[in-house]
């Protein structure tokens, strides 16, 4: 290997390491932001996470929410009880289920404004930041983030199986 190509390889490894370090820092920072949002809404971190899953992907059964969140069904029952008491979700009978006791969980949109308001500072900052990128840059960033999310989902599923 030539010294130019070994230098390029070192630079590439260093940049890859910087990206992974930045992603860990971003994850930590978003976790702290979510914790603050949850505290303002009187929601535990896990409750806010599950509410986001239900809002984004619901309505769905409690078992699907538990699987997506990586939680034990008994833990999920407590989360859903708190979310329902807080007026964030509703449990409804699933008319299409073979088991007439089956329910789906649906987010109530009445309180979305509260959540959006708490994230508005971050959203405005992100809009300003993204305005500096070209359409091609944004496509590259979107692809990278989607692929990183998929990798995270895969790693989470693997650990959940252990």
């Amino acid at each position: 290997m030539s010294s130019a190509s070994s230098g390029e390889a070192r630079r590439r490894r260093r940049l890859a390491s910087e990206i992974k370090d930045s992603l860990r820092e971003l994850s930590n920072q978003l976790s702290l932001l979510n914790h603050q949002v949850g505290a303002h809404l009187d929601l535990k971190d896990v409750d806010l996470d599950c509410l986001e899953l239900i809002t984004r992907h619901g309505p769905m059964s409690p078992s699907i929410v538990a699987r997506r969140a990586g939680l034990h069904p008994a833990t999920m029952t407590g989360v859903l009880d708190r979310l329902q008491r807080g007026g964030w979700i509703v449990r409804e009978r699933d008319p299409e289920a073979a088991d007439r006791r089956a329910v789906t969980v649906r987010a109530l949109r009445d309180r979305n404004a509260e959540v959006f308001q708490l994230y508005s500072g971050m959203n405005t900052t992100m809009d300003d930041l993204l305005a500096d990128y070209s359409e091609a840059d944004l496509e590259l960033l979107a692809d990278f983030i989607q692929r990183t999310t998929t990798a995270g989902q895969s790693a989470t599923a693997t650990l959940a199986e252990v």
Side-chain angles (χ1 to χ4, degrees), residues 47 49-66 68 73 76-85 87-95 101-109:
D47 298 353
D49 291 342
C50 290
L51 178 61
E52 172 65 16
L53 285 171
I54 296 164
T55 300
R56 186 174 286 277
H57 304 287
M60 64 181 107
S61 72
S63 61
I64 291 174
V65 181
R68 285 187 175 203
M76 181 54 55
T77 299
V79 169
L80 295 178
D81 288 346
R82 288 189 299 273
L83 289 173
Q84 188 168 13
R85 274 194 310 271
W88 295 102
I89 62 143
V90 64
R91 291 174 171 120
E92 301 171 321
R93 294 275 175 229
D94 185 350
R101 297 169 295 172
V103 298
T104 58
V105 180
R106 180 177 54 83
L108 296 172
R109 305 281 179 197

Side-chain angles (χ1 to χ4, degrees), residues 114-151:
E114 293 174 65
V115 179
F116 292 144
Q117 177 60 38
L118 292 168
Y119 284 111
S120 66
M122 180 63 170
N123 284 330
T124 299
T125 301
M126 290 301 301
D127 289 341
D128 293 344
L129 186 144
L130 293 171
D132 293 337
Y133 289 93
S134 70
E135 188 174 335
D137 291 338
L138 293 174
E139 287 174 357
L140 178 67
L141 289 168
D143 177 65
F144 175 76
I145 291 170
Q146 289 166 351
R147 291 169 69 186
T148 302
T149 300
T150 299

Side-chain angles (χ1 to χ4, degrees), residues 5-24:
S5 62
S6 72
E8 289 171 10
R10 275 194 307 277
R11 177 163 165 68
R12 184 173 179 83
R13 282 192 305 273
R14 185 175 52 76
L15 287 170
S17 180
E18 286 178 21
I19 289 169
K20 289 186 271 186
D21 287 346
S22 292
L23 286 171
R24 282 192 293 277

